[in-house]
């Protein structure tokens, strides 16, 4: 069994932003097993020829002593609407393979494409990505995400986005939003704030 995983983007045979994933892997492993990792996340990896072109999702599942690699061609999902859903006890601090609670929230999306999760009154993430909101000048991401994603961390470090605590009442102050993760960067179309369903 592999209790944790990392999802990376491979673009035309090149791993994108590997150090951000390595850093999170190191932190997650230490949190889970109480000791430093005995191996590097990407140690010995080779990209098969059939996945050397285009955008590819690489999922690395791991446990205390082993890793499992899975490649698949990736097509970005078009998201235009999100249903707000609410939770109090969801813990997804690291990329856990057990996602039943997240999937249960996703099942509440109704006719929307995805959900925007509100935990203890605070805006967090969608079911599989961090969110960034545009106020007409700057991009803001919730200070209290479910998961501190690698793309989010990189965009914060680069000064492209800023973080702030966001409640549901703050959403009216924004013009739109984007969902970001290792395979969805900032170059995608913005989702209108009218695409949020309360």
């Amino acid at each position: 069994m592999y209790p944790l995983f990392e999802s990376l983007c491979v673009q035309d045979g090149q791993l994108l932003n590997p150090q951000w994933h390595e850093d999170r892997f190191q932190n997650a492993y230490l949190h889970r097993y109480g000791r430093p990792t005995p191996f590097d996340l990407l140690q010995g990896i080779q990209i098969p020829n059939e996945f050397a072109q285009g955008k590819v999702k690489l999922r690395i599942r791991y446990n205390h002593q082993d890793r499992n690699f899975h490649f698949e061609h990736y097509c970005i999902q078009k998201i235009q609407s999100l249903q707000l859903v609410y939770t109090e006890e969801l813990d997804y601090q690291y990329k856990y393979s057990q996602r039943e609670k997240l999937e249960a929230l996703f099942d509440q999306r109704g006719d929307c494409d995805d959900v925007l999760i509100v935990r203890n009154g605070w805006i967090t993430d969608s079911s599989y990505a961090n969110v960034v909101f545009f106020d007409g000048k700057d991009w803001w991401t919730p200070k209290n995400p479910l998961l501190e994603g690698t793309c989010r961390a990189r965009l914060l470090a680069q000064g492209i986005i800023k973080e702030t605590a966001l409640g549901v009442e703050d959403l009216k102050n924004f013009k739109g939003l984007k969902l970001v993760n290792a395979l969805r960067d900032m170059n995608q179309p913005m989702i209108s704030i009218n695409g949020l369903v309360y």
Side-chain angles (χ1 to χ4, degrees), residues 3-162:
L4 293 156
F5 72 98
E6 281 289 321
S7 293
L8 293 85
C9 183
V10 181
Q11 184 68 51
D12 296 325
Q14 297 295 316
L15 286 166
L16 300 187
N17 308 302
Q19 191 57 52
W20 294 94
H21 293 279
E22 184 70 43
D23 290 346
R24 184 170 63 184
F25 160 68
Q26 299 282 348
N27 291 332
Y29 190 100
L30 182 63
H31 175 82
R32 174 81 181 194
Y33 299 112
R35 57 186 172 87
T37 62
F39 51 83
D40 293 333
L41 179 68
L42 303 174
Q43 178 180 321
I45 192 167
Q46 294 188 358
I47 298 168
N49 289 337
E50 63 187 291
F51 296 108
Q53 297 294 323
K55 180 174 279 192
V56 169
K57 180 178 181 179
L58 165 59
R59 174 171 287 194
I60 305 176
R61 300 183 302 161
Y62 62 93
N63 57 27
H64 68 290
Q65 64 181 5
D66 195 17
R67 293 163 300 156
N68 172 272
F69 302 114
H70 176 76
F71 294 87
E72 63 183 68
H73 292 285
Y74 184 79
C75 182
I76 195 165
Q77 182 183 3
K78 188 175 182 180
I79 303 292
Q80 295 181 307
S81 59
L82 297 102
Q83 171 71 53
L84 268 70
V85 296
Y86 297 82
T87 184
E88 294 182 3
E89 299 180 357
L90 179 61
D91 173 24
Y92 200 73
Q93 182 180 3
Y94 297 102
K95 289 187 75 72
Y96 303 117
S97 298
Q98 298 294 324
R99 290 174 50 91
E100 287 84 357
K101 291 182 179 179
L102 276 174
E103 290 165 1
L105 291 174
F106 180 72
D107 288 343
Q108 298 176 34
R109 69 190 181 282
D111 294 329
C112 292
D113 300 314
D114 200 353
V115 294
L116 183 60
I117 300 169
V118 183
R119 181 178 62 184
N120 296 323
W122 299 107
I123 302 296
T124 62
D125 299 327
S126 80
S127 68
Y128 69 99
N130 292 130
V131 290
V132 292
F133 295 90
F134 187 58
D135 65 5
K137 179 184 176 184
D138 297 310
W139 289 94
W140 299 89
T141 191
K143 191 175 182 179
N144 306 291
L146 294 176
L147 175 74
E148 294 187 9
T150 58
C151 181
R152 176 186 183 274
R154 177 171 49 82
L155 294 171
L156 282 169
Q158 294 170 344
I160 295 172
I161 64 174
K162 306 174 184 179

